[in-house]
Amino acid sequence: MGQKTAIILGATGLCGSILLHMLLNDERYKKIKLFSRKTVGIKDEKLQEHLIDLLELSDYESDFLADEVFCCIGTTKAKTPDKDLYKKIDYGIPVSAAELCKKNKIRTFVVISALGANAESNVFYNKLKGQMENAVVSKKIPKIHILQPSLIGGYRVEKRPGEWLAKKAFLILNAILAGPFRKYRSIYPQTIARCMVWLANNSYKRVKIPSDEIVKLGEIET
């Protein structure tokens, strides 16, 4: 049995739920802590759930203790049309988590952002992700990795008609997106989760990792 403790934020989401199952089955980890507003409904001796308001994550500094933190937090315009609340989720939660990592001397922080993240962008979503990335990097955690996936494939419980159509289109586009355009291919959540685990357990210099590189790393045995 391993000795590491990991924290997952967003374990009820598409990528986070897959990551959770991977870590529960990984012998390198002895405890998986979840911070979320609802239970994942899993019984496992490794699992420790903290059911909280994630917008108040900074209030749980004494419980936020681990070797690694995986942040899979993200919302959508359809679910969160209010831009102020959107920012509190997509920017506020990852940055609060990074601040707690710094305070509690957690040396590894792996977070999902998005391809196209740019703090200078005129697009609200891309700008917010870019600002989040900059704020996280500024905390100077020893080992930070920011994943920038393209459109994430896979089944979601909630209905997103626009995203569903985009995924169908990408089934065709993936075949012709080559060379420097490979990073725009859609990507599976399993690949993202495997990449996160690999990064946490291996030495890798690059901080910001685009989608095509996520695919390569996600294919390596963890």
Side-chain angles (χ1 to χ4, degrees):
M1 179 69 71
Q3 294 300 310
K4 294 201 295 183
T5 295
I7 287 173
I8 301 177
L9 302 173
T12 58
L14 185 60
C15 291
S17 61
I18 294 169
L19 174 65
L20 171 59
H21 285 284
M22 286 183 181
L23 296 187
L24 288 175
N25 291 313
D26 193 319
E27 293 183 352
R28 290 169 294 194
Y29 295 86
K30 66 175 181 179
K31 183 182 295 184
I32 314 299
K33 294 183 177 182
L34 308 183
F35 288 80
S36 56
R37 61 185 177 84
K38 61 181 181 180
T39 181
V40 294
I42 296 173
K43 299 295 183 183
D44 192 290
E45 62 180 10
K46 281 188 177 183
L47 195 60
Q48 183 182 103
E49 291 191 278
H50 298 265
L51 302 182
I52 67 167
D53 179 355
L54 283 171
L55 298 181
E56 306 297 333
L57 183 62
S58 59
D59 293 342
Y60 298 88
E61 180 179 341
S62 61
D63 296 314
F64 204 88
L65 301 170
D67 299 289
E68 302 163 359
V69 173
F70 298 91
C71 185
C72 306
I73 291 294
T75 187
T76 64
K77 182 179 179 181
K79 288 178 65 176
T80 313
D82 182 272
K83 287 187 175 181
D84 288 336
L85 180 56
Y86 198 118
K87 184 172 183 177
K88 288 178 181 178
I89 296 170
D90 267 41
Y91 175 92
I93 295 173
V95 174
S96 291
E99 289 173 347
L100 290 177
C101 285
K102 185 69 174 180
K103 288 181 180 179
N104 289 340
K105 295 181 171 56
I106 300 172
R107 297 182 60 81
T108 299
F109 185 67
V110 185
V111 58
I112 299 176
S113 179
L115 194 66
N118 182 350
E120 304 303 320
S121 176
N122 291 322
V123 178
F124 172 76
Y125 177 79
N126 291 350
K127 183 174 184 176
L128 191 63
K129 289 294 189 183
Q131 291 173 335
M132 179 275 287
E133 291 184 0
N134 291 348
V136 165
V137 170
S138 73
K139 304 307 174 186
K140 299 188 184 302
I141 299 163
K143 183 176 172 62
I144 294 178
H145 294 295
I146 299 170
L147 279 67
Q148 299 175 322
S150 181
L151 179 70
I152 302 174
Y155 173 77
R156 295 182 190 271
V157 175
E158 73 268 26
K159 296 186 182 300
R160 300 181 182 180
E163 186 177 288
W164 181 85
L165 288 172
K167 287 176 181 178
K168 292 297 183 182
F170 267 90
L171 289 176
I172 300 171
L173 287 173
N174 281 353
I176 61 175
L177 290 170
F181 300 102
R182 289 180 67 89
K183 66 181 180 181
Y184 297 107
R185 290 180 176 182
S186 60
I187 185 170
Y188 286 105
Q190 292 87 348
T191 303
I192 297 171
R194 286 196 300 268
C195 179
M196 295 180 87
V197 177
W198 188 90
L199 287 167
N201 288 279
N202 293 274
S203 178
Y204 200 69
K205 290 184 178 181
R206 192 164 187 175
V207 173
K208 297 182 181 181
I209 303 169
S211 204
D212 55 332
E213 197 168 333
I214 294 172
V215 172
K216 291 178 182 178
L217 297 177
E219 292 174 348
I220 301 174
E221 288 293 329
T222 59

